């Protein structure tokens, strides 16, 4: 994943959306299965070729594990053990089957000529009185008359047993560890916030069916990250190290973090890969420690304009230090929608920063904050052609009616959501078929850091129509209609919906 070119990543997210990792894993299994079959064919020709193919597997695995940012001397050991097991298994499997005649003759050397009866060399002469293979498909006979399962049958038994053991061992081992982490998460008791989230306004919803709820269900919250498998970390093992260009470095345990004053806020997060009208955006109630308080304690140097956050898997994000100290509700979050963070959303601790795209601010499975400078270090996605500074762009989306839907003439409620985190949305407008822009009705919001629902009554007439929406933020900036892809700092354009009215 780290080596994938940026265009490939963009293609995967655009086409497969949040299923990109599942597709990648399926592709890995398919490619490895084809390569494994190729190794098997080579091994039937000459065992050394097959073992060389297994060695290629092992070398790639060792290099991949040893070059991980958090790698220790033990990281390559599972790969080495797997490669040795695979080599031994390949030898056993190869010995259960007769080699092709050409390969057998070649391996026997000069003692075997073109007229040699290779079949006779591969197996003993049947004992007198023994049944022929055609009369007993399940039994063959040794020189001493003892019966044994034929090579192909033993091959299938051994191969099937090995595959069954692998299928059980690999997911089973991960599942055991995941269960330990799940149990540790279930045991976490979140502290009450010293600054609770403000009550939601009575009219936070427009009440139109089909509009995304103001608070996104945790199970429905989007997930875009670089973790092929979700990192599993127990709270007792978690540490946060704050260092770099600071006067007073600090290290915190999970218990120490929970003991600090907690803030609870509704905050909307958005992914830079979100296309215009996309669903890679969600709003949740987050509980955490203000990052500003921690930075004030460590006293950053005057020139430290970037905070580099690191995940346990080595992922990095670079956040402007000023954005974490300007009073916005930037949090080290430990809770989401009233529960400890889900593992897939960063448990035990993640960052949440309103107003910035996730790739520069929302590091999950957080273990490190380093005060640095943008001129000294480029974070993960910045090295892959994304912008170093990434404030969220003003966006709006039509949730209902949906694209291609056939409507009946008459009153139709057009509705959706708009967002401009840390600036807020002051207006939403809708137009039909390039006609004049019409003001939509806005729902209430608890702060400028959340999205805002909107609705507009449309007197629909028969025919095919095109609906468009745009928003204006609290600074007076109107959402641009110029279409642009997400790279390098977020998509732009007006969400457009085509419908048919009968």
């Amino acid at each position: 994943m780290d080596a994938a070119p940026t265009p490939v990543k963009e293609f995967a997210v655009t086409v497969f959306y949040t299923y990109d990792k599942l597709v990648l894993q399926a592709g890995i299994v398919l490619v490895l299965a084809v390569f494994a079959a190729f190794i098997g064919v080579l091994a039937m020709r000459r065992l050394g070729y097959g073992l060389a193919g297994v060695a290629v597997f092992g070398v790639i695995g060792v290099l991949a594990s040893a070059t991980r940012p958090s790698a220790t001397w033990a990281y390559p050991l599972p790969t080495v053990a797997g490669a040795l097991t695979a080599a031994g298994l390949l030898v056993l499997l190869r010995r259960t089957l007769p080699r092709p005649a050409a390969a057998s003759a070649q391996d026997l050397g000069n003692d075997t000529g073109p007229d040699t009866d290779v079949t006779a060399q591969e197996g003993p002469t049947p004992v007198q009185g023994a049944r022929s293979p055609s009369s007993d498909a399940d039994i063959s006979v040794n020189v001493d008359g003892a019966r044994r399962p034929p090579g192909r049958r033993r091959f299938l038994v051994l191969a099937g047993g090995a595959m069954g053991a692998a299928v059980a061992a690999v997911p089973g081992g991960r599942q055991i560890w995941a269960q330990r982490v799940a149990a540790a998460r279930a045991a976490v008791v979140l502290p009450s916030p010293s600054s609770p989230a403000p009550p939601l306004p009575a009219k936070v919803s427009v009440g139109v069916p089909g509009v995304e709820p103001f608070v996104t269900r945790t199970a429905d919250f989007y997930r875009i990250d670089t973790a092929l498998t979700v990192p599993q970390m127990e709270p007792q093992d978690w540490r946060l190290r704050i260092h770099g260009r600071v006067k007073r470095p600090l290290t915190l345990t999970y218990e120490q973090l929970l003991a600090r004053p907690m803030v609870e806020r509704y905050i909307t997060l958005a992914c830079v890969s979100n296309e215009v009208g996309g669903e890679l955006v969600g709003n949740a109630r987050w509980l955490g420690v203000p990052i500003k308080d921690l930075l004030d304690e460590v006293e950053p140097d005057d020139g430290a304009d970037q905070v580099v956050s690191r995940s346990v898997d080595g992922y990095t994000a670079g956040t402007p230090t000023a954005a974490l100290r300007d009073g916005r509700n930037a949090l080290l979050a430990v809770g989401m929608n009233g529960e400890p963070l889900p593992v897939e959303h960063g448990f035990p601790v993640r960052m949440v920063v309103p107003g910035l795209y996730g790739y520069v601010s929302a590091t999950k499975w957080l273990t490190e904050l380093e005060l640095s400078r943008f001129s000294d270090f480029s974070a993960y996605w910045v090295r892959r052609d994304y912008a170093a500074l990434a404030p969220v762009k003003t966006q709006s989306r039509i949730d209902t009616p949906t694209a291609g839907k056939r409507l009946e003439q008459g009153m139709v409620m057009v509705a959706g959501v708009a967002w401009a985190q840390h600036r807020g949305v002051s207006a939403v407008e809708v137009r039909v078929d390039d006609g004049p822009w019409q003001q939509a009705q806005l729902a209430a919001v608890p702060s400028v850091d959340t999205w805002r629902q909107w609705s507009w009554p449309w007197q629909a007439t028969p025919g095919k129509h095109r609906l468009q929406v745009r928003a204006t933020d609290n600074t007076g900036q109107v959402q641009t209609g110029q279409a642009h892809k997400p790279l390098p700092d977020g998509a732009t354009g007006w969400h457009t919906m085509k419908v048919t009215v009968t």
Side-chain angles (χ1 to χ4, degrees):
M1 292 184 68
D2 291 350
T6 300
V8 175
K9 174 260 179 190
E10 288 296 323
F11 170 81
V13 173
T14 301
V15 175
F16 304 114
Y17 226 44
T18 55
Y19 297 100
D20 57 341
K21 294 179 180 62
L22 180 61
V23 173
L24 176 60
Q25 289 171 327
I28 290 173
V29 172
L30 177 61
V31 171
L32 295 187
V34 171
F35 186 54
F38 177 66
I39 290 176
V41 172
L42 291 180
M44 290 300 294
R45 297 291 181 183
R46 187 179 290 273
L47 182 58
Y49 294 158
L51 293 177
V54 172
V56 171
F57 264 131
V59 170
I60 294 175
V62 168
L63 290 176
S65 60
T67 55
R68 299 307 302 152
S70 56
T72 66
W73 64 270
Y75 269 47
L77 295 184
T79 299
V80 173
L84 293 175
T85 302
L89 180 62
L90 183 62
V91 172
L92 291 176
L93 289 171
R94 178 62 191 85
R95 288 178 176 175
T96 62
L97 291 177
R99 286 166 291 184
S104 301
Q106 180 180 2
D107 289 347
L108 289 172
N110 296 330
D111 293 336
T112 303
D115 297 328
T116 303
D117 186 353
V118 177
T119 303
Q121 295 179 8
E122 286 293 341
T125 303
V127 177
Q128 185 177 4
R131 287 180 291 179
S132 68
S134 60
S135 64
D136 190 347
D138 293 331
I139 300 175
S140 60
V141 183
N142 290 323
V143 166
D144 57 1
R147 295 182 178 184
R148 61 174 175 84
R152 182 168 298 178
R153 181 180 175 187
R154 285 186 293 134
F155 173 87
L156 293 176
V157 170
L158 181 58
M163 291 179 65
V167 169
V170 176
R174 290 180 178 175
Q175 185 62 28
I176 291 173
W177 184 252
Q179 288 176 350
R180 287 185 55 182
V181 174
R185 175 182 175 271
V188 171
V189 178
L190 295 177
S192 299
S194 57
S195 177
L200 294 180
K203 296 183 177 180
V204 75
S205 172
V206 294
V208 178
V211 177
E212 182 83 8
F214 179 76
V215 177
T216 307
R217 292 176 60 247
T218 302
D220 296 334
F221 207 94
Y222 77 93
R223 179 198 161 202
I224 295 289
D225 51 57
T226 63
L228 186 58
T229 57
V230 177
Q232 304 284 337
M233 187 186 310
E234 293 189 72
Q236 65 183 18
D237 299 326
W238 183 84
R239 298 290 185 276
L240 175 66
R241 181 179 171 224
I242 307 177
H243 65 106
R245 293 178 174 270
V246 299
K247 294 182 176 63
R248 300 177 180 177
L250 179 66
T251 299
L252 293 172
T253 65
Y254 188 69
E255 292 76 11
Q256 290 171 332
L257 187 69
L258 292 185
R260 288 175 169 261
M262 292 278 168
V263 170
E264 185 182 55
R265 294 291 184 270
Y266 291 97
I267 298 173
T268 296
L269 299 183
C271 179
V272 71
S273 297
N274 198 36
E275 299 280 355
V276 172
E279 299 178 353
L280 299 182
V281 57
N283 186 54
R285 177 164 52 94
W286 305 95
L287 176 71
V289 173
I291 298 176
K292 179 181 183 301
D293 294 350
L294 296 172
L295 294 182
D296 289 346
E297 286 186 31
V298 299
E299 299 183 29
D301 297 344
D302 292 339
D305 59 357
Q306 176 181 219
V307 176
V308 178
S309 52
R310 287 187 173 85
S311 170
V312 68
D313 64 356
Y315 172 82
T316 58
T319 310
T321 306
L324 300 176
R325 306 184 76 184
D326 64 4
R328 74 182 73 193
N329 290 305
L331 305 175
L332 292 187
V334 297
M336 180 181 183
N337 290 337
E339 297 181 348
L341 283 175
V343 176
E344 61 269 20
H345 287 292
F347 179 80
V349 182
R350 68 169 294 168
M351 286 179 64
V352 173
V353 183
L356 301 178
Y357 282 118
Y359 82 96
V360 298
S361 66
T363 302
K364 291 179 275 192
W365 311 290
L366 180 70
T367 59
E368 188 176 339
L369 295 177
E370 179 184 1
L371 275 295
S372 179
R373 296 186 300 191
F374 282 103
S375 59
D376 294 338
F377 182 83
S378 294
Y380 186 92
W381 286 116
V382 177
R383 297 195 299 270
R384 290 159 177 80
D385 303 326
Y386 280 83
L389 303 178
V392 172
K393 290 178 166 56
T394 301
Q395 289 287 324
S396 53
R397 187 182 74 198
I398 300 173
D399 286 347
T400 183
T402 55
K405 185 174 183 179
R406 301 183 69 88
L407 308 171
E408 293 185 1
Q409 67 177 352
M411 185 63 67
V412 173
M413 292 301 297
V414 183
V417 291
W419 58 92
Q421 295 96 303
H422 203 55
R423 300 185 305 277
V425 173
S426 61
V428 172
E429 300 168 287
V430 183
R431 72 175 181 180
V432 182
D433 300 329
D434 297 325
W437 289 101
Q438 306 290 332
Q439 288 286 335
Q441 181 178 358
L442 299 179
V445 288
S447 76
V448 296
D449 291 334
T450 69
W451 59 14
R452 194 166 194 175
Q453 294 187 5
W454 58 268
S455 64
W456 177 67
W458 172 38
Q459 192 65 38
T461 57
K464 294 183 177 181
H465 300 283
R466 186 177 68 159
L467 305 173
Q468 289 182 303
V469 63
R470 71 180 185 185
T472 303
D473 66 25
N474 285 337
T475 70
Q477 187 70 37
V478 180
Q479 178 182 345
T480 179
Q482 182 176 0
H484 196 283
K485 290 291 185 180
L487 188 69
D489 59 356
T492 60
W494 296 329
H495 190 208
T496 301
M497 197 72 68
K498 295 180 179 180
V499 296
T500 299
V501 180
T502 59

